[in-house]
Amino acid sequence: MKPSGMKPRVLTVLGATGTIGVNTLDVVARHPGRFEIFALTGATQVERMVEQCRTHRPRIAVMNEPAAAAALRLRLAEAKLPVTVLEGESALTDVATAPEVDTVMAAIVGAAGLPATLAAAQAGKRILLANKETLVVSGQLFMDAIATSGAELLPIDSEHNAIFQALPRDFDGDFKRAGVRALWLTASGGPFRTLSAEAIAAATPAQAVAHPNWVMGKKISVDSASLMNKGLEVIEARWLFNARPEQIKVVVHPQSIVHSMVEYADGSVIAQMGTPDMRTPIAFALGFPERIDAGVSALELMGRQLTFEAPDTARFPCLQLAFDALAAGGSAAAVLNAANEVAVARFLEGEVPFNAIAASIAHTLDALAGGAASSLEDLLEADRQARSVATAYLEGARA
Ligand code: NAD
Ligand code: MG
């Protein structure tokens, strides 16, 4: 419940119709009066957006596709819901930066989320960051924007949220001063953890999206199967916590109970644990610095075994490719991300085999090494070039 006299937080949820968006609205609904929804955004799912408008009464709903926006206008008029419908990418930026808004949940998938998320950072909002691709593509630029505007950044990705919780509250990126030796990202290992290289090569989209512990959107599910998700998270951790690559460790923990850890100079390792449910990090960030109910079932540890093993970069080369891109610097991470997005989309369409994902990323990184990354234009150009190189490569890899 909302403490009396407290002003509600005014939220825009970018990517409201997705998995993170739905979980965000679930937590919001548990706290009547504590949050107010200014805007919800989606790409194409009109019926889900109508339902969300009925429940949450936003002032604005944005649909990416004009046809979806038109359909939503009709449906909202029928339902007599007074919501303004906007469309297109500029509308995403408008609702992420509107002066009425204090908090932005950034939960669009992919580099498509970058412009609005970066704009929210420049506008000094509290940003709840699920859209890891924004940090992968534009890490330095995004962190600079946060520092310049005084925006507040709270990680939603469960690993980074865990690390945030396990770091000292006043952590400012100085590992030495805080006595931090390393950040340990846990990885579930995904659905192919125990499969042979041959079986992984022959894996279908249906197998790839069947994650053992987490229910997620399709793109991040495929990323989890290839371990590219962990690779993207390594890059995300580098920027969020000002970590050097060698200070970021990855350990496979198939039960997904330990969400990540911080190792200190005195040998202490502080972990954050919980039932694998994204509503925990979402509620942590929504309520911060207060702890609020997330609707998550209590962690049942009795009789459970927690195991840890090293990641296998031979069967899962995407993890190493992410470390390589981080070492290369410049626009390499933007190239890695774009090549991955293209390859995952082709794989989900059934057009290329699973191992074409890593192969096309490696090829694209080689082809586009050494690009600059000093402006948003540089990064968008690297993204565009990488999409075209990866697309051409994948034409030759069709199943
Ligand atoms: P999802 O596919 O379920 O939802 C994506 C959302 O983005 C939808 O609302 C969709 O309408 C919108 N969208 C897609 N393409 C768009 C475009 N071109 N323009 C505007 N909107 C667009 O994905 P998700 O699982 O909710 O993941 C969202 C983000 O959060 C991703 O960056 C993912 O890596 C990150 N994340 C997700 C989880 C999880 O458990 N699902 C965990 C950690 C991080
Ligand atoms: Mg994660």
Side-chain angles (χ1 to χ4, degrees), residues 132 157-159 229 233:
K132 63 189 86 185
D157 214 345
S158 58
E159 296 76 4
N229 184 49
E233 290 181 357

Side-chain angles (χ1 to χ4, degrees), residues 15-21 41-44 64 92 107-110 112 130-133 157 215-218 220 278:
T17 53
T19 313
I20 293 291
T41 87
T44 54
N64 227 40
L92 296 175
I108 291 173
V109 59
N131 179 227
K132 63 189 86 185
E133 294 91 347
D157 214 345
V215 179
M216 307 182 288
K218 282 189 178 154
I220 183 177
M278 287 308 292

Side-chain angles (χ1 to χ4, degrees), residues 163 233 279 333 338 352 360 368 387:
I163 288 169
E233 290 181 357
R279 290 175 302 175
V352 299
S360 74
L368 298 175
R387 281 172 204 269

Side-chain angles (χ1 to χ4, degrees), residues 228 317-318 321 339-340 343 353-367 389-390 393-394 397:
M228 180 50 91
C318 285
L321 289 171
N340 182 54
F354 188 75
N355 52 3
I357 297 174
S360 74
I361 297 166
H363 170 82
T364 310
L365 276 174
D366 279 348
V389 171
Y393 177 87
L394 289 165

